[in-house]
Amino acid sequence: MAAKDLYEKDFYKVLGVDKKAAADEIKRKYRGLVKDLHPDTNHGDSAKEEKFKAVSEAYEILSDPKKRAEYDEARSLFERGGFRAPGGGGNFQGGDFSDIFGGGNPQDIFANLFGGGGRRGPRKGQDLQTEATITFRESVFGTNLDLRLGTDRGAAQNITARVPAGVNDGAKIRVKGKGAPGEAGPGDLFILLHVKPHPIFSRKAENLLVTLPITFTEAALGADVKVPVMSGEEVTVRIAPGTPNGRTLRVKGRGITKGSHVGDLLVTVDVQVPQRVDGKALEALKTFAEETAGEDVRAELAAKAKQ
């Protein structure tokens, strides 16, 4: 497609969205239009077919952040009379745009939007992506990944990548210069990380979460209970008398360190009910039940149910 055709078209108007529209809004609008305009549902309707092509062309540009930014910048110059290309020529008026376009012809931007021709300088190689799985502990403290990657030529290369402390499941890390080769140097390698679940710990932001089983008597009478932390140590949490099941206690500074921020350890109490009670313990519970028979823990339940 000629550069002149590209920069004279208002792709936002074609899709019916504002120039400041977010990516998800552009996607929704595009999907709604193509559903109505698709040739498979409009056999022989040449007008809708042309509209479908225009919508697809606009979405190809506006759905790509890089292409959209280049389009916006160059079209802005065109609307202000910053450059013109009559008859497909290269007569540019209104100033020197070499800083904006990297010393190249502004038409090259539009030609490159669809991967077309035009003058191009040396390009970096293509970025590559791979995946790796790490343990929960490695995601908390960081680790080194040793990868062996194959290439198109059949050879393989060994790559070491540093995983920083505090990464989340689904995070990507970049290894510069380990992508495909190119005239202006190799591209980068992106590693998508999958974090294995931990048997007892989970995370919420930089806070570590753990469930702490305690006995009925510890909950009723109170106790000091030791809790393991990721470093391999133990910290002591104080269970106050009368602590209910599900209460969460906070241990400051025992969470995940990510940069300059340190999270906390959140300990959720899980009161354990014995499946079987015998002997003196059973007699003691019966005595407890008799002594507390006057306490109705469900006194407000019926009244609240009628509200």
Side-chain angles (χ1 to χ4, degrees), residues 34-56:
V34 297
K35 184 177 181 180
D36 178 59
L37 298 171
H38 201 282
D40 290 346
T41 58
N42 297 281
H43 297 290
D45 192 330
S46 58
K48 284 194 173 183
E49 183 176 349
E50 290 303 315
K51 179 67 174 177
F52 175 79
K53 292 178 180 179
V55 166
S56 299

Side-chain angles (χ1 to χ4, degrees), residues 61-196:
I61 297 297
L62 300 186
S63 63
D64 185 306
K66 184 178 179 181
K67 291 181 180 180
R68 181 179 178 181
E70 292 176 343
Y71 169 78
D72 287 345
E73 186 170 14
R75 181 168 170 79
S76 176
L77 289 173
F78 166 72
E79 290 175 343
R80 297 198 302 268
F83 64 87
R84 281 181 262 159
N91 298 324
F92 292 87
Q93 302 177 4
D96 180 8
F97 302 104
S98 59
D99 289 341
I100 297 176
F101 296 105
N105 188 325
Q107 294 185 81
D108 289 348
I109 286 183
F110 295 103
N112 291 340
L113 289 178
F114 286 110
R119 288 193 295 132
R120 300 182 184 180
R123 291 191 170 190
K124 288 183 62 178
Q126 183 180 5
D127 292 336
L128 302 179
Q129 179 170 303
T130 188
E131 300 182 17
T133 300
I134 61 175
T135 66
F136 187 87
R137 182 175 296 277
E138 289 172 333
S139 76
V140 171
F141 295 109
T143 187
N144 287 322
L145 286 177
D146 293 319
L147 305 175
R148 186 171 178 84
L149 301 180
T151 65
D152 292 339
R153 298 178 180 178
Q157 58 175 327
N158 296 320
I159 294 174
T160 298
R162 178 62 189 169
V163 177
V167 297
N168 286 285
D169 180 55
K172 283 185 179 180
I173 59 175
R174 181 174 67 174
V175 185
K176 292 184 178 181
K178 294 300 182 180
E183 295 176 353
D188 299 329
L189 172 67
F190 290 86
I191 305 173
L192 175 64
L193 297 176
H194 302 288
V195 179
K196 294 179 181 178

Side-chain angles (χ1 to χ4, degrees), residues 228-245:
V229 292
M230 288 295 298
S231 63
E233 305 171 276
E234 289 182 324
V235 295
T236 300
V237 295
R238 175 152 292 181
I239 308 297
T243 295
N245 184 60

